[in-house]
Amino acid sequence: MNLQERFKQVRQHSIDICSNLQTEDYVVQPVVDVSPPKWHLGHTTWFWEEFVLKPNDENYEQFNSNYNYVFNSYYESAGTRVIRTDRGNLSRPSVEEIYQYRKHVDKAMLHFLKNNLSEALQDLIVLGLNHEEQHQELLATDIKYILGNNPLFPPLYHEEKLLSAPTKNTWIKIDEGVYEIGFEGEGFCFDNELNRHKVYLNDYSICSELVTNKEYLEFIHAGGYKNFVYWHMEGWEWVKANGINAPMYWHFIDGEWMNYTLHGLLPVDEPEPVCHISFYEAYAYALWKGLRLPTEAEWEIAATKFNWGKRWEWTESAYLPYPGFSKAPGAIGEYNGKFMVSQKVLRGASDVTPPNHSRITYRNFFHPPLRWQYTGIRLAK
């Protein structure tokens, strides 16, 4: 698939994710971590305008010069911006205007992509496509948070949700030794997946399956959220301060645990992998089981031996640079490196990861209390 076709495909997928929204849904920002859907649509469009068209297409005419301030996310080198907490306060530009902005930029980009582009420009465009795919996952999870925190629990999809089939969990044993992790070969990767390097691993075993809702219910029924011994001190303070007693979107109603899904509020599907779990909860559950979470190196070495992709899986690894990591110059260098502090690595992918946007070396990262993403648990020992 050439760059033009790939660009059209990726841009259309962003629109498809929003196809069942009402206009009012596009504007809401319930918490700082969630951005309004219309902001995602504007920001991913701004990326193409700011980093591709404005510097490289002398005939490009900006749609609105104020949009750089509105849709810049965290790129200090791209100028001032609306602070993240205020994205939901922007009634303007309207949803209609943002869709017009997308059409304007898409038309210019498709014309630009007909040129004979340098290798550096092609690499930048591939980065932009992956950037938009990252935002597509955020867009999907932000929509779920917006609807899932509405007391009406409105569904996004109206067809019946398929129930999960039970799976058999086994232990996969990995021998001690020196292994290599990190990206290698052809194709795209983010800079935080480089450089490939050696790691030493002791003998370990890792589960072939993710922890299920049924298994996690056992933790709840055993008083896991009421016993401090399973929790980091920081995690225990988080539980007490926020009244946490179950995964995000779970509600105990008339003696039954219910779970908000994009198909509406439904009884908890017990064979389904548990979802929307913080690192604190993943750690506590593992300790309650007398087990632990894998490190990211252990996960990567074993990943070819199990199925992954349903949940972003918490690891015990801090988000740190690999040996030889270096940031690119300019705004693109702000992409990953400056976030390498106080966060945990997650591996895998999720139900809402865009097609062709996952690989074994992918390093996702979040702060320990966050759980609005499709996060789950795989155990190790």
Side-chain angles (χ1 to χ4, degrees):
M1 186 183 298
N2 63 34
L3 279 180
Q4 273 189 307
E5 292 303 313
R6 181 94 174 92
F7 179 83
K8 287 192 286 188
Q9 180 188 65
V10 169
R11 295 289 282 170
Q12 183 60 44
H13 188 56
S14 297
I15 303 302
D16 292 343
I17 292 168
C18 299
S19 60
N20 289 342
L21 294 181
Q22 300 294 319
T23 303
E24 291 80 3
D25 298 327
Y26 282 90
V27 187
V28 182
Q29 184 181 25
V31 292
V32 63
D33 299 303
V34 169
S35 294
K38 75 170 189 177
W39 185 89
H40 284 292
L41 295 178
H43 168 72
T44 49
T45 303
W46 166 85
F47 185 99
W48 298 111
E49 180 177 68
E50 181 67 20
F51 297 123
V52 179
L53 293 171
K54 284 168 61 177
N56 300 293
D57 185 351
E58 60 182 16
N59 297 316
Y60 177 70
E61 295 183 7
Q62 269 188 278
F63 184 81
N64 187 319
S65 60
N66 292 317
Y67 281 12
N68 184 68
Y69 178 72
V70 174
F71 293 123
N72 183 4
S73 54
Y74 54 71
Y75 297 91
E76 298 287 349
S77 54
T80 56
R81 60 199 181 278
V82 172
I83 61 172
R84 188 177 183 183
T85 52
D86 285 353
R87 291 173 185 171
N89 297 336
L90 299 168
S91 60
R92 305 292 177 91
S94 67
V95 175
E96 182 181 358
E97 287 170 324
I98 290 172
Y99 275 111
Q100 290 172 357
Y101 177 41
R102 287 183 69 89
K103 288 180 180 178
H104 174 85
V105 169
D106 285 359
K107 182 179 179 181
M109 277 296 303
L110 289 171
H111 185 266
F112 180 76
L113 290 172
K114 293 177 181 177
N115 296 323
N116 186 18
L117 303 179
S118 68
E119 185 176 345
L121 265 177
Q122 291 182 55
D123 289 345
L124 176 60
I125 288 161
V126 171
L127 174 63
L129 294 170
N130 281 270
H131 166 263
E132 181 141 355
E133 287 173 328
Q134 283 187 313
H135 275 274
Q136 288 167 353
E137 182 151 13
L138 290 168
L139 176 59
T141 50
D142 288 359
I143 288 170
K144 184 173 184 180
Y145 192 96
I146 289 165
L147 299 180
N149 282 274
N150 183 311
L152 301 178
F153 299 119
L156 185 66
Y157 308 124
H158 294 281
E159 64 272 20
E160 185 177 353
K161 183 179 184 295
L162 298 176
L163 294 178
S164 304
T167 55
K168 183 179 180 181
N169 200 2
T170 59
W171 285 103
I172 298 167
K173 188 177 185 305
I174 305 295
D175 293 331
E176 70 172 322
V178 176
Y179 297 88
E180 288 191 352
I181 66 168
F183 185 83
E184 69 173 348
E186 300 297 318
F188 174 83
C189 75
F190 287 111
D191 58 1
N192 65 358
E193 300 171 56
L194 301 171
N195 290 304
R196 191 163 178 85
H197 61 284
K198 292 180 172 61
V199 293
Y200 172 78
L201 300 177
N202 289 314
D203 286 335
Y204 70 97
S205 296
I206 189 168
C207 282
S208 63
E209 303 294 336
L210 294 165
V211 172
T212 65
N213 287 330
K214 181 179 181 179
E215 292 170 316
Y216 201 82
L217 276 165
E218 294 170 358
F219 173 68
I220 295 174
H221 294 153
Y225 282 97
K226 299 176 182 177
N227 193 333
F228 70 91
V229 300
Y230 305 123
W231 299 82
H232 289 106
M233 183 176 71
E234 189 176 289
W236 184 240
E237 292 300 319
W238 172 79
V239 166
K240 293 189 296 180
N242 296 282
I244 306 295
N245 64 356
M248 181 178 278
Y249 302 124
W250 284 31
H251 303 272
F252 196 62
I253 301 173
D254 297 332
E256 182 179 14
W257 280 108
M258 304 291 287
N259 180 24
Y260 176 76
T261 74
L262 289 176
H263 298 264
L265 192 65
L266 300 171
V268 167
D269 181 3
E270 291 194 350
E272 185 178 44
V274 70
C275 198
H276 301 295
I277 290 290
S278 69
F279 171 78
Y280 298 142
E281 291 165 294
Y283 173 89
Y285 177 85
L287 193 60
W288 174 73
K289 291 288 288 185
L291 301 168
R292 63 177 178 84
L293 302 176
T295 65
E296 65 168 322
E298 289 173 334
W299 189 97
E300 184 172 323
I301 294 306
T304 58
K305 302 178 185 298
F306 56 73
N307 291 324
W308 54 271
K310 298 288 290 181
R311 302 287 182 264
W312 285 107
E313 305 174 26
W314 288 105
T315 74
E316 194 56 76
S317 297
Y319 181 46
L320 296 171
Y322 281 169
F325 172 82
S326 62
K327 294 195 292 184
I332 300 303
E334 298 184 51
Y335 208 85
N336 281 311
K338 68 181 185 181
F339 299 111
M340 291 176 174
V341 61
S342 304
Q343 308 207 53
K344 287 289 188 178
V345 174
L346 302 94
R347 290 304 195 97
S350 84
D351 287 339
V352 293
T353 303
N356 305 312
H357 189 69
S358 57
R359 55 190 167 271
I360 285 176
T361 57
Y362 200 121
R363 304 175 76 203
N364 207 343
F365 51 92
F366 289 112
H367 289 104
L370 296 181
R371 55 184 192 161
W372 95 111
Q373 290 297 310
Y374 281 62
T375 50
I377 309 170
R378 189 182 302 273
L379 297 173
K381 65 179 181 179

